[in-house]
DNA sequence: CTTCTTATTGATAATGATTGTCAACATCAC
DNA sequence: GTGATGTTGACAATCATTATCAATAAGAAG
């Protein structure tokens, strides 16, 4: 039986308040600063549950850290991520879906899945660098 | 000044002998089994050098481990990876390159890069599962 | 070939994210 | 309200990766 706890809600709310990918550690720090004494282990568990349930997307940063972001559930999509500030935009990638399937089939691979993420500099960060 | 050592060559050779993505730990075990007493730290350093020099590709496994594979240098390409046995095929992805650029530009993002990997079951593993 | 400089090695300690443990606690069906 | 049990959280444990640093060996110079 799954129980609803204020800790899980707090993690979910904190995640949805972010518009960028954040690590479990960062989210834990945010919750600590807000005064909500949610344990680190609980943050990890809540994020894992969210990701498993489709309420969040996860990816590995270049440093090997696991990052999470709230996402629109039930819909397959990918991300356009600013490598400077982390701002993230959900994007559709129908052409890529087709291409991935075709390439997998052409090589005899079955049950294809794919990891597709685009990194760049968002408009604000582009301006800041130039 | 960069010096050539037999340890670096051993790591490079061991990596090229693999046709799948392997972790630094696995490669270290292989070298140990071969009788070559190459240190773990050296394996990590050699792999980092290879990746930086374009002689190897790296990606993060779902468990957060860093995996490496020898690759054809100087050419941009992606991978089709068996999620069961790890066998890897290099693939071209011109349509995706164009798509990534277009999507980034449409959202005002500059200097786009992308992570594109396709996972599936290779012919052998597909047969084994069914 | 010998010597000298210094990049490299490797055993080990340190780091840091993530997961396991388990007693105390809180949720929800009844 | 009450009890069975899912959940929490402080802390220990794990595991990949990185830093440390004395000992070694590659390569330049003579």
């Amino acid at each position: 039986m799954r129980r609803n706890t204020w800790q899980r809600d707090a993690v979910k709310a904190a995640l949805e308040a972010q518009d960028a990918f954040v690590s479990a550690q960062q989210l834990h720090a945010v919750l600590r600063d807000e005064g909500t004494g949610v344990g680190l282990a609980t943050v990890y568990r809540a994020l894992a549950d969210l990701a498993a349930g489709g309420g969040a997307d996860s990816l590995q940063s270049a440093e090997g850290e696991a990052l999470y972001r709230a996402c629109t559930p039930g819909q397959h999509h990918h991300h356009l991520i600013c490598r400077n500030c982390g701002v993230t935009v959900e994007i559709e990638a129908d052409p890529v879906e087709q291409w991935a399937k075709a390439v997998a089939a052409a090589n005899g691979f079955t049950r294809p899945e794919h990891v597709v993420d685009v990194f760049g500099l968002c408009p604000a960060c582009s301006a800041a660098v130039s």
Side-chain angles (χ1 to χ4, degrees), chain A:
Chain A
M1 172 200 318
R2 164 159 296 173
R3 290 177 181 171
N4 296 326
T5 64
W6 64 266
Q7 287 96 332
R8 239 196 284 268
D9 289 340
V11 171
K12 191 178 178 189
L15 184 64
E16 288 171 348
Q18 306 289 330
D19 61 351
F21 273 88
V22 292
S23 69
Q25 308 271 350
Q26 288 170 345
L27 214 52
H28 177 240
V30 168
L31 289 166
R32 176 171 297 278
D33 291 346
E34 285 178 352
T36 57
V38 179
L40 179 57
T42 302
V43 175
Y44 275 100
R45 280 185 290 242
L47 287 175
D49 284 353
L50 278 173
D57 282 325
S58 67
L59 62 80
Q60 306 275 336
S61 76
E63 297 81 37
E65 232 180 339
L67 304 181
Y68 297 87
R69 170 132 201 282
C71 76
T72 62
Q75 186 175 183
H76 186 70
H77 59 259
H78 296 282
H79 297 100
L80 175 57
I81 306 155
C82 176
R83 79 170 71 89
N84 184 243
C85 69
V87 161
T88 302
V89 179
E90 291 189 357
I91 53 181
E92 295 297 320
D94 293 326
V96 178
E97 315 289 337
Q98 304 307 322
W99 166 85
K101 266 188 216 166
V103 166
N107 287 274
F109 277 57
T110 61
R111 296 185 49 200
E113 294 175 15
H114 51 274
V115 176
V116 174
D117 290 302
V118 182
F119 294 85
L121 292 177
C122 71
C125 290
S126 296
V129 171
S130 60

